[in-house]
Amino acid sequence: MMLKVITSNLGKVNEYRAALSSFGIDTEHLKVPYDEIQSSELTEVVGKAMEHLKASGLSDFIIDDSGIFADALNGFPGVFSAYALRTIGNAGILKLMENVADRKANFQCCIGCNIRGRDIIVLGRCDGVILTEETGTEGFGFDPIFSHDGKRSFAEIPLDEKNGISHRGDAVRLLVDEIKKMI
């Protein structure tokens, strides 16, 4: 089985390739421009993007929207994570979190998959904390400031370990469970 991974983020492509290959699913990276709607829900953003991509004739694809949700910031940046990363970056999030005792946060990943004409939408989650500084050189995005265990950032752990615990890894496992029901 081959699924097109629609993203401009090569880090996501690598994570999908590593996670899905162990389930016998091959991936192909495909960049397709589309308008991302703004919403307070990841599932709505993904659902609308899927509609647009299907209307353009695409099938057998994966698209996702992910975000980091900081409790002390009322869930910010959440669905605005890509914008926050582009504009204020990790340093800006750390600045917002200065002198904040409650560092609880969660990463969420909503995957939309169109396969054999059917749509699947799943939401994965990983609870953790926002660290006080950037650490590590692996990963991408908010990985250097998020820790699932309060000890190591996502940027400090190998990809196979990250896929076993991360929001995207959780969503991939949920997706594979749904795909297995179809075949």
Side-chain angles (χ1 to χ4, degrees):
M1 176 181 304
M2 171 69 73
L3 291 174
K4 300 168 199 83
V5 178
I6 314 250
T7 184
S8 59
N9 185 327
L10 292 177
K12 286 183 181 184
V13 173
N14 291 335
E15 287 187 11
Y16 278 117
R17 186 168 288 131
L20 291 170
S21 67
S22 64
F23 297 105
I25 300 172
D26 294 320
T27 59
E28 171 189 354
H29 179 213
L30 190 60
K31 286 185 184 180
V32 176
Y34 61 92
D35 293 329
E36 186 175 301
I37 67 147
Q38 294 303 310
S39 170
S40 61
E41 300 293 326
L42 293 175
T43 53
E44 186 176 356
V45 172
V46 167
K48 294 291 185 186
M50 289 180 70
E51 288 175 21
H52 174 81
L53 293 168
K54 290 187 303 183
S56 72
L58 278 174
S59 62
D60 297 328
F61 63 82
I62 291 174
I63 189 165
D64 87 27
D65 195 23
S66 301
I68 190 168
F69 298 75
D71 288 7
L73 301 177
N74 296 318
F76 182 80
V79 295
F80 305 106
S81 289
Y83 176 76
L85 191 61
R86 279 193 314 274
T87 56
I88 65 172
N90 287 330
I93 297 298
L94 292 176
K95 181 85 171 148
L96 291 171
M97 297 287 293
E98 272 183 1
N99 303 314
V100 173
D102 178 8
R103 303 200 68 85
K104 288 184 289 207
N106 67 80
F107 246 139
Q108 294 179 30
C109 175
C110 181
I111 298 176
C113 179
N114 174 274
I115 186 167
R116 298 180 180 163
R118 291 189 48 208
D119 291 342
I120 300 169
I121 296 179
V122 295
L123 184 65
R125 178 179 170 134
C126 179
D127 292 315
V129 296
I130 303 286
L131 298 170
T132 57
E133 64 184 359
E134 292 186 65
T135 61
T137 58
E138 301 300 314
F140 59 93
F142 294 110
D143 287 355
I145 65 169
F146 181 81
S147 174
H148 72 290
D149 62 6
K151 298 173 186 164
R152 299 175 300 156
S153 76
F154 270 5
E156 294 178 289
I157 58 179
L159 180 58
D160 59 337
E161 183 180 347
K162 180 183 175 191
N163 279 342
I165 56 174
S166 75
H167 55 303
R168 188 164 294 106
D170 185 39
V172 165
R173 286 184 292 281
L174 294 169
L175 174 65
V176 168
D177 288 346
E178 292 301 313
I179 290 172
K180 286 178 180 176
K181 293 175 189 175
M182 293 173 51
I183 36 183

PDB file of all heavy atoms in Angstrom, residues 146-172:
ATOM      1  N   PHE A 146       9.823  20.765  24.128  1.00  0.00           N
ATOM      2  CA  PHE A 146       8.782  19.897  24.687  1.00  0.00           C
ATOM      3  C   PHE A 146       9.403  18.602  25.195  1.00  0.00           C
ATOM      4  O   PHE A 146      10.229  17.986  24.520  1.00  0.00           O
ATOM      5  CB  PHE A 146       7.719  19.558  23.640  1.00  0.00           C
ATOM      6  CG  PHE A 146       6.621  18.680  24.177  1.00  0.00           C
ATOM      7  CD1 PHE A 146       5.578  19.217  24.914  1.00  0.00           C
ATOM      8  CD2 PHE A 146       6.636  17.312  23.970  1.00  0.00           C
ATOM      9  CE1 PHE A 146       4.562  18.416  25.434  1.00  0.00           C
ATOM     10  CE2 PHE A 146       5.629  16.493  24.470  1.00  0.00           C
ATOM     11  CZ  PHE A 146       4.592  17.047  25.206  1.00  0.00           C
ATOM     12  N   SER A 147       8.967  18.186  26.378  1.00  0.00           N
ATOM     13  CA  SER A 147       9.429  16.929  26.946  1.00  0.00           C
ATOM     14  C   SER A 147       8.243  16.110  27.422  1.00  0.00           C
ATOM     15  O   SER A 147       7.373  16.625  28.118  1.00  0.00           O
ATOM     16  CB  SER A 147      10.373  17.187  28.138  1.00  0.00           C
ATOM     17  OG  SER A 147      10.711  15.965  28.765  1.00  0.00           O
ATOM     18  N   HIS A 148       8.232  14.850  27.057  1.00  0.00           N
ATOM     19  CA  HIS A 148       7.168  13.943  27.518  1.00  0.00           C
ATOM     20  C   HIS A 148       7.410  13.470  28.943  1.00  0.00           C
ATOM     21  O   HIS A 148       6.471  13.097  29.634  1.00  0.00           O
ATOM     22  CB  HIS A 148       7.046  12.749  26.566  1.00  0.00           C
ATOM     23  CG  HIS A 148       8.191  11.793  26.690  1.00  0.00           C
ATOM     24  ND1 HIS A 148       9.464  12.111  26.274  1.00  0.00           N
ATOM     25  CD2 HIS A 148       8.261  10.550  27.214  1.00  0.00           C
ATOM     26  CE1 HIS A 148      10.269  11.090  26.521  1.00  0.00           C
ATOM     27  NE2 HIS A 148       9.567  10.129  27.090  1.00  0.00           N
ATOM     28  N   ASP A 149       8.675  13.479  29.372  1.00  0.00           N
ATOM     29  CA  ASP A 149       9.007  12.936  30.685  1.00  0.00           C
ATOM     30  C   ASP A 149       9.623  13.969  31.641  1.00  0.00           C
ATOM     31  O   ASP A 149      10.011  13.616  32.757  1.00  0.00           O
ATOM     32  CB  ASP A 149       9.932  11.725  30.549  1.00  0.00           C
ATOM     33  CG  ASP A 149      11.275  12.057  29.899  1.00  0.00           C
ATOM     34  OD1 ASP A 149      11.567  13.253  29.632  1.00  0.00           O
ATOM     35  OD2 ASP A 149      12.052  11.103  29.648  1.00  0.00           O
ATOM     36  N   GLY A 150       9.730  15.214  31.191  1.00  0.00           N
ATOM     37  CA  GLY A 150      10.324  16.251  32.025  1.00  0.00           C
ATOM     38  C   GLY A 150      11.834  16.186  32.104  1.00  0.00           C
ATOM     39  O   GLY A 150      12.458  16.962  32.820  1.00  0.00           O
ATOM     40  N   LYS A 151      12.430  15.257  31.356  1.00  0.00           N
ATOM     41  CA  LYS A 151      13.882  15.071  31.410  1.00  0.00           C
ATOM     42  C   LYS A 151      14.546  15.381  30.075  1.00  0.00           C
ATOM     43  O   LYS A 151      15.529  16.104  30.021  1.00  0.00           O
ATOM     44  CB  LYS A 151      14.216  13.640  31.829  1.00  0.00           C
ATOM     45  CG  LYS A 151      13.705  13.280  33.205  1.00  0.00           C
ATOM     46  CD  LYS A 151      13.900  11.816  33.499  1.00  0.00           C
ATOM     47  CE  LYS A 151      13.236  11.467  34.830  1.00  0.00           C
ATOM     48  NZ  LYS A 151      13.072  10.059  34.998  1.00  0.00           N
ATOM     49  N   ARG A 152      14.020  14.786  29.009  1.00  0.00           N
ATOM     50  CA  ARG A 152      14.620  14.959  27.679  1.00  0.00           C
ATOM     51  C   ARG A 152      13.603  15.589  26.743  1.00  0.00           C
ATOM     52  O   ARG A 152      12.424  15.232  26.760  1.00  0.00           O
ATOM     53  CB  ARG A 152      15.037  13.607  27.095  1.00  0.00           C
ATOM     54  CG  ARG A 152      16.059  12.873  27.915  1.00  0.00           C
ATOM     55  CD  ARG A 152      16.326  11.496  27.350  1.00  0.00           C
ATOM     56  NE  ARG A 152      15.069  10.729  27.365  1.00  0.00           N
ATOM     57  CZ  ARG A 152      14.802   9.705  26.560  1.00  0.00           C
ATOM     58  NH1 ARG A 152      15.692   9.301  25.688  1.00  0.00           N
ATOM     59  NH2 ARG A 152      13.662   9.081  26.643  1.00  0.00           N
ATOM     60  N   SER A 153      14.089  16.498  25.910  1.00  0.00           N
ATOM     61  CA  SER A 153      13.198  17.070  24.898  1.00  0.00           C
ATOM     62  C   SER A 153      13.015  16.062  23.775  1.00  0.00           C
ATOM     63  O   SER A 153      13.806  15.122  23.625  1.00  0.00           O
ATOM     64  CB  SER A 153      13.791  18.368  24.340  1.00  0.00           C
ATOM     65  OG  SER A 153      14.855  18.095  23.440  1.00  0.00           O
ATOM     66  N   PHE A 154      11.985  16.274  22.962  1.00  0.00           N
ATOM     67  CA  PHE A 154      11.795  15.428  21.778  1.00  0.00           C
ATOM     68  C   PHE A 154      13.001  15.532  20.843  1.00  0.00           C
ATOM     69  O   PHE A 154      13.262  14.625  20.065  1.00  0.00           O
ATOM     70  CB  PHE A 154      10.532  15.846  21.024  1.00  0.00           C
ATOM     71  CG  PHE A 154       9.279  15.139  21.467  1.00  0.00           C
ATOM     72  CD1 PHE A 154       9.255  14.275  22.538  1.00  0.00           C
ATOM     73  CD2 PHE A 154       8.098  15.351  20.782  1.00  0.00           C
ATOM     74  CE1 PHE A 154       8.092  13.623  22.927  1.00  0.00           C
ATOM     75  CE2 PHE A 154       6.926  14.701  21.147  1.00  0.00           C
ATOM     76  CZ  PHE A 154       6.926  13.844  22.220  1.00  0.00           C
ATOM     77  N   ALA A 155      13.738  16.636  20.910  1.00  0.00           N
ATOM     78  CA  ALA A 155      14.913  16.827  20.055  1.00  0.00           C
ATOM     79  C   ALA A 155      16.138  16.070  20.572  1.00  0.00           C
ATOM     80  O   ALA A 155      17.187  16.086  19.939  1.00  0.00           O
ATOM     81  CB  ALA A 155      15.227  18.308  19.929  1.00  0.00           C
ATOM     82  N   GLU A 156      16.003  15.421  21.729  1.00  0.00           N
ATOM     83  CA  GLU A 156      17.111  14.662  22.306  1.00  0.00           C
ATOM     84  C   GLU A 156      16.933  13.152  22.192  1.00  0.00           C
ATOM     85  O   GLU A 156      17.795  12.405  22.640  1.00  0.00           O
ATOM     86  CB  GLU A 156      17.273  15.016  23.789  1.00  0.00           C
ATOM     87  CG  GLU A 156      17.712  16.438  24.022  1.00  0.00           C
ATOM     88  CD  GLU A 156      17.823  16.755  25.501  1.00  0.00           C
ATOM     89  OE1 GLU A 156      16.768  16.856  26.165  1.00  0.00           O
ATOM     90  OE2 GLU A 156      18.959  16.896  25.976  1.00  0.00           O
ATOM     91  N   ILE A 157      15.822  12.705  21.634  1.00  0.00           N
ATOM     92  CA  ILE A 157      15.594  11.266  21.583  1.00  0.00           C
ATOM     93  C   ILE A 157      15.587  10.787  20.130  1.00  0.00           C
ATOM     94  O   ILE A 157      15.196  11.525  19.221  1.00  0.00           O
ATOM     95  CB  ILE A 157      14.285  10.869  22.304  1.00  0.00           C
ATOM     96  CG1 ILE A 157      13.071  11.579  21.721  1.00  0.00           C
ATOM     97  CG2 ILE A 157      14.393  11.167  23.792  1.00  0.00           C
ATOM     98  CD1 ILE A 157      11.763  11.196  22.375  1.00  0.00           C
ATOM     99  N   PRO A 158      16.026   9.564  19.898  1.00  0.00           N
ATOM    100  CA  PRO A 158      16.052   9.025  18.534  1.00  0.00           C
ATOM    101  C   PRO A 158      14.637   8.931  17.945  1.00  0.00           C
ATOM    102  O   PRO A 158      13.650   8.768  18.678  1.00  0.00           O
ATOM    103  CB  PRO A 158      16.651   7.627  18.696  1.00  0.00           C
ATOM    104  CG  PRO A 158      17.252   7.584  20.060  1.00  0.00           C
ATOM    105  CD  PRO A 158      16.550   8.613  20.881  1.00  0.00           C
ATOM    106  N   LEU A 159      14.564   9.016  16.636  1.00  0.00           N
ATOM    107  CA  LEU A 159      13.285   9.026  15.926  1.00  0.00           C
ATOM    108  C   LEU A 159      12.425   7.811  16.258  1.00  0.00           C
ATOM    109  O   LEU A 159      11.217   7.957  16.490  1.00  0.00           O
ATOM    110  CB  LEU A 159      13.514   9.113  14.412  1.00  0.00           C
ATOM    111  CG  LEU A 159      12.266   9.140  13.531  1.00  0.00           C
ATOM    112  CD1 LEU A 159      11.368  10.313  13.904  1.00  0.00           C
ATOM    113  CD2 LEU A 159      12.664   9.209  12.066  1.00  0.00           C
ATOM    114  N   ASP A 160      13.015   6.613  16.320  1.00  0.00           N
ATOM    115  CA  ASP A 160      12.197   5.430  16.604  1.00  0.00           C
ATOM    116  C   ASP A 160      11.598   5.493  18.012  1.00  0.00           C
ATOM    117  O   ASP A 160      10.449   5.109  18.221  1.00  0.00           O
ATOM    118  CB  ASP A 160      12.979   4.124  16.392  1.00  0.00           C
ATOM    119  CG  ASP A 160      14.225   4.020  17.257  1.00  0.00           C
ATOM    120  OD1 ASP A 160      14.761   5.053  17.695  1.00  0.00           O
ATOM    121  OD2 ASP A 160      14.681   2.878  17.498  1.00  0.00           O
ATOM    122  N   GLU A 161      12.338   6.021  18.964  1.00  0.00           N
ATOM    123  CA  GLU A 161      11.796   6.184  20.318  1.00  0.00           C
ATOM    124  C   GLU A 161      10.719   7.267  20.322  1.00  0.00           C
ATOM    125  O   GLU A 161       9.670   7.115  20.952  1.00  0.00           O
ATOM    126  CB  GLU A 161      12.906   6.540  21.302  1.00  0.00           C
ATOM    127  CG  GLU A 161      12.427   6.643  22.733  1.00  0.00           C
ATOM    128  CD  GLU A 161      13.523   6.995  23.716  1.00  0.00           C
ATOM    129  OE1 GLU A 161      14.713   6.939  23.366  1.00  0.00           O
ATOM    130  OE2 GLU A 161      13.180   7.333  24.867  1.00  0.00           O
ATOM    131  N   LYS A 162      10.979   8.364  19.617  1.00  0.00           N
ATOM    132  CA  LYS A 162       9.999   9.452  19.551  1.00  0.00           C
ATOM    133  C   LYS A 162       8.685   8.947  18.949  1.00  0.00           C
ATOM    134  O   LYS A 162       7.602   9.257  19.455  1.00  0.00           O
ATOM    135  CB  LYS A 162      10.550  10.616  18.724  1.00  0.00           C
ATOM    136  CG  LYS A 162       9.584  11.784  18.615  1.00  0.00           C
ATOM    137  CD  LYS A 162      10.143  12.877  17.713  1.00  0.00           C
ATOM    138  CE  LYS A 162       9.123  13.969  17.512  1.00  0.00           C
ATOM    139  NZ  LYS A 162       9.505  14.912  16.470  1.00  0.00           N
ATOM    140  N   ASN A 163       8.774   8.179  17.863  1.00  0.00           N
ATOM    141  CA  ASN A 163       7.555   7.655  17.240  1.00  0.00           C
ATOM    142  C   ASN A 163       6.776   6.741  18.180  1.00  0.00           C
ATOM    143  O   ASN A 163       5.568   6.603  18.049  1.00  0.00           O
ATOM    144  CB  ASN A 163       7.885   6.911  15.942  1.00  0.00           C
ATOM    145  CG  ASN A 163       8.071   7.855  14.768  1.00  0.00           C
ATOM    146  OD1 ASN A 163       7.659   9.013  14.800  1.00  0.00           O
ATOM    147  ND2 ASN A 163       8.706   7.363  13.714  1.00  0.00           N
ATOM    148  N   GLY A 164       7.460   6.138  19.134  1.00  0.00           N
ATOM    149  CA  GLY A 164       6.787   5.258  20.093  1.00  0.00           C
ATOM    150  C   GLY A 164       6.004   6.000  21.160  1.00  0.00           C
ATOM    151  O   GLY A 164       5.140   5.417  21.807  1.00  0.00           O
ATOM    152  N   ILE A 165       6.286   7.297  21.354  1.00  0.00           N
ATOM    153  CA  ILE A 165       5.654   8.043  22.449  1.00  0.00           C
ATOM    154  C   ILE A 165       4.982   9.338  22.023  1.00  0.00           C
ATOM    155  O   ILE A 165       4.203   9.900  22.779  1.00  0.00           O
ATOM    156  CB  ILE A 165       6.688   8.378  23.546  1.00  0.00           C
ATOM    157  CG1 ILE A 165       7.859   9.148  22.952  1.00  0.00           C
ATOM    158  CG2 ILE A 165       7.132   7.142  24.284  1.00  0.00           C
ATOM    159  CD1 ILE A 165       8.874   9.651  23.937  1.00  0.00           C
ATOM    160  N   SER A 166       5.269   9.814  20.828  1.00  0.00           N
ATOM    161  CA  SER A 166       4.823  11.154  20.429  1.00  0.00           C
ATOM    162  C   SER A 166       3.356  11.206  20.019  1.00  0.00           C
ATOM    163  O   SER A 166       2.712  10.179  19.795  1.00  0.00           O
ATOM    164  CB  SER A 166       5.673  11.665  19.263  1.00  0.00           C
ATOM    165  OG  SER A 166       5.305  11.009  18.065  1.00  0.00           O
ATOM    166  N   HIS A 167       2.871  12.405  19.885  1.00  0.00           N
ATOM    167  CA  HIS A 167       1.527  12.680  19.401  1.00  0.00           C
ATOM    168  C   HIS A 167       1.313  12.119  17.998  1.00  0.00           C
ATOM    169  O   HIS A 167       0.288  11.528  17.710  1.00  0.00           O
ATOM    170  CB  HIS A 167       1.271  14.189  19.425  1.00  0.00           C
ATOM    171  CG  HIS A 167       2.295  14.986  18.673  1.00  0.00           C
ATOM    172  ND1 HIS A 167       3.649  14.929  18.947  1.00  0.00           N
ATOM    173  CD2 HIS A 167       2.171  15.858  17.644  1.00  0.00           C
ATOM    174  CE1 HIS A 167       4.307  15.726  18.123  1.00  0.00           C
ATOM    175  NE2 HIS A 167       3.439  16.303  17.320  1.00  0.00           N
ATOM    176  N   ARG A 168       2.316  12.290  17.124  1.00  0.00           N
ATOM    177  CA  ARG A 168       2.203  11.774  15.764  1.00  0.00           C
ATOM    178  C   ARG A 168       2.271  10.252  15.764  1.00  0.00           C
ATOM    179  O   ARG A 168       1.524   9.582  15.060  1.00  0.00           O
ATOM    180  CB  ARG A 168       3.280  12.380  14.858  1.00  0.00           C
ATOM    181  CG  ARG A 168       3.081  12.021  13.390  1.00  0.00           C
ATOM    182  CD  ARG A 168       3.894  12.901  12.439  1.00  0.00           C
ATOM    183  NE  ARG A 168       3.394  14.276  12.506  1.00  0.00           N
ATOM    184  CZ  ARG A 168       4.028  15.281  13.126  1.00  0.00           C
ATOM    185  NH1 ARG A 168       5.191  15.075  13.702  1.00  0.00           N
ATOM    186  NH2 ARG A 168       3.501  16.483  13.154  1.00  0.00           N
ATOM    187  N   GLY A 169       3.145   9.695  16.604  1.00  0.00           N
ATOM    188  CA  GLY A 169       3.220   8.237  16.725  1.00  0.00           C
ATOM    189  C   GLY A 169       1.906   7.654  17.206  1.00  0.00           C
ATOM    190  O   GLY A 169       1.444   6.622  16.707  1.00  0.00           O
ATOM    191  N   ASP A 170       1.286   8.307  18.192  1.00  0.00           N
ATOM    192  CA  ASP A 170      -0.017   7.875  18.698  1.00  0.00           C
ATOM    193  C   ASP A 170      -1.062   7.930  17.583  1.00  0.00           C
ATOM    194  O   ASP A 170      -1.831   6.988  17.386  1.00  0.00           O
ATOM    195  CB  ASP A 170      -0.429   8.764  19.873  1.00  0.00           C
ATOM    196  CG  ASP A 170      -1.713   8.321  20.548  1.00  0.00           C
ATOM    197  OD1 ASP A 170      -1.932   7.100  20.709  1.00  0.00           O
ATOM    198  OD2 ASP A 170      -2.508   9.204  20.929  1.00  0.00           O
ATOM    199  N   ALA A 171      -1.065   9.035  16.839  1.00  0.00           N
ATOM    200  CA  ALA A 171      -2.034   9.178  15.746  1.00  0.00           C
ATOM    201  C   ALA A 171      -1.792   8.139  14.651  1.00  0.00           C
ATOM    202  O   ALA A 171      -2.748   7.585  14.096  1.00  0.00           O
ATOM    203  CB  ALA A 171      -1.972  10.596  15.170  1.00  0.00           C
ATOM    204  N   VAL A 172      -0.530   7.848  14.353  1.00  0.00           N
ATOM    205  CA  VAL A 172      -0.222   6.832  13.337  1.00  0.00           C
ATOM    206  C   VAL A 172      -0.755   5.471  13.770  1.00  0.00           C
ATOM    207  O   VAL A 172      -1.344   4.732  12.978  1.00  0.00           O
ATOM    208  CB  VAL A 172       1.293   6.767  13.039  1.00  0.00           C
ATOM    209  CG1 VAL A 172       1.658   5.498  12.280  1.00  0.00           C
ATOM    210  CG2 VAL A 172       1.735   7.991  12.250  1.00  0.00           C
TER     211      VAL A 172
END
